[in-house]
Amino acid sequence: QVQLVESGGGLVQAGGSLRLSCAASGSTFSFKTIGWYRQAPGKQRELVADINNGGRTRYADSVKGRFTISRDNAKNTVYLQMNSLKPEDMAVYYCNAVATFYDYWGQGTQVTVSS
C-alpha cells in the first residue's frame, strides 16, 4: 500500500554534508509522522529525527543543531539535511512512516563518514 525509497547516502569526509531524501508513494494521506532512524554496526536502531502532520519536529540530542528534517507535501518527500558530519554518524539510515493502522520502512541508505 505504501512504498518508501531512500536516497542520498554515500561517502563523505568528516565535517562535510549530505542530504537524504525519502520519497513516498501510495496512501500517504494517512501518515501521522515520518522519521529518520539509523543503525550502526553492533548497535540498536535509534530515532534521529521525525516530523508530524502539523510540521512539529524532534531530534536526537546527538544531532540537534547539525541535522534538519523537512518535508515537501507536494512531492510526498521528506528530507534530512546533515551538516558537520562526524565518524559516529556512520550508519544505515532508514525512513519510517507511521499511519493509523500500520507503519512502513524503507530499505535504508548507507552513510559513511571518513576522517
Side-chain angles (χ1 to χ4, degrees), residues 36 38 43 46-49 58-68 82-91 93:
W36 287 97
R38 67 185 181 188
K43 295 185 177 181
E46 64 175 350
L47 175 68
V48 178
R58 61 178 180 172
Y59 299 90
D61 288 341
S62 60
V63 308
K64 195 172 297 182
R66 299 188 296 121
F67 292 10
T68 303
M82 304 186 295
N83 298 327
S84 301
L85 282 161
K86 304 174 180 179
E88 50 263 45
D89 296 318
M90 186 183 306
Y93 284 71

Side-chain angles (χ1 to χ4, degrees), residues 7-101:
S7 62
L11 175 64
V12 66
Q13 193 172 18
S17 298
L18 287 172
R19 188 176 74 160
L20 306 183
S21 298
C22 174
S25 62
S27 301
T28 59
F29 64 89
S30 66
F31 290 174
K32 299 176 72 175
T33 63
I34 301 178
W36 287 97
Y37 290 72
R38 67 185 181 188
Q39 187 167 22
K43 295 185 177 181
Q44 297 295 315
R45 190 173 297 186
E46 64 175 350
L47 175 68
V48 178
D50 64 13
I51 184 167
N52 70 11
N53 288 341
R56 299 292 180 92
T57 60
R58 61 178 180 172
Y59 299 90
D61 288 341
S62 60
V63 308
K64 195 172 297 182
R66 299 188 296 121
F67 292 10
T68 303
I69 188 169
S70 62
R71 57 177 164 83
D72 185 333
N73 290 333
K75 297 180 179 180
N76 288 324
T77 301
V78 174
Y79 305 96
L80 184 68
Q81 178 67 46
M82 304 186 295
N83 298 327
S84 301
L85 282 161
K86 304 174 180 179
E88 50 263 45
D89 296 318
M90 186 183 306
V92 177
Y93 284 71
Y94 298 90
C95 183
N96 168 252
V98 178
T100 302
F101 298 107

Side-chain angles (χ1 to χ4, degrees), residues 101-114:
F101 298 107
Y102 307 97
D103 62 350
Y104 305 92
W105 293 90
Q107 292 300 305
T109 186
Q110 175 71 50
V111 172
T112 301
V113 184
S114 63

